[in-house]
C-alpha cells in the first residue's frame, strides 16, 4: 500500500495553499476545530445522560 512521504505531503500542502489561500485555510481550520469540539461535547453529554438514566432506573438501596 502506498504511503505518502514528506515530499508528497509538502506538495499537497502547497497545492491546498494555492487553491484556498491563507485566509480561507485559517477559516476552514477554525470551523473544523469547532466542529470537533461540538462532537466531543455531544459524546460527553450522551455519556452523562446515559449515566443519569441508569441512576434513575436503579432502585435506591435501603
Amino acid at each position: 500500500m502506498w504511503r505518502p512521504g514528506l515530499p508528497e505531503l509538502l506538495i499537497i500542502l502547497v497545492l491546498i495553499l494555492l487553491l484556498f489561500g491563507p485566509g480561507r485555510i485559517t477559516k476552514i481550520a477554525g470551523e473544523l476545530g469547532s466542529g470537533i469540539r461540538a462532537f466531543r461535547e455531544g459524546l460527553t453529554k450522551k455519556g452523562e445522560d446515559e449515566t443519569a438514566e441508569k441512576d434513575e432506573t436503579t432502585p435506591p438501596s435501603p
Side-chain angles (χ1 to χ4, degrees), residues 1-52:
M1 175 158 212
W2 179 76
R3 296 180 70 190
L6 184 61
E8 290 87 3
L9 290 176
L10 288 176
I11 291 172
I12 292 170
L13 289 175
V14 168
L15 288 175
I16 290 172
L17 183 62
L18 289 174
L19 287 174
F20 294 111
R24 183 125 186 239
I25 290 176
T26 55
K27 184 178 177 183
I28 292 171
E31 291 174 355
L32 182 64
S34 62
I36 291 172
R37 190 176 312 113
F39 178 74
R40 287 184 181 171
E41 288 175 2
L43 287 178
T44 303
K45 287 182 181 179
K46 182 179 179 186
E48 290 173 357
D49 292 343
E50 289 176 356
T51 305

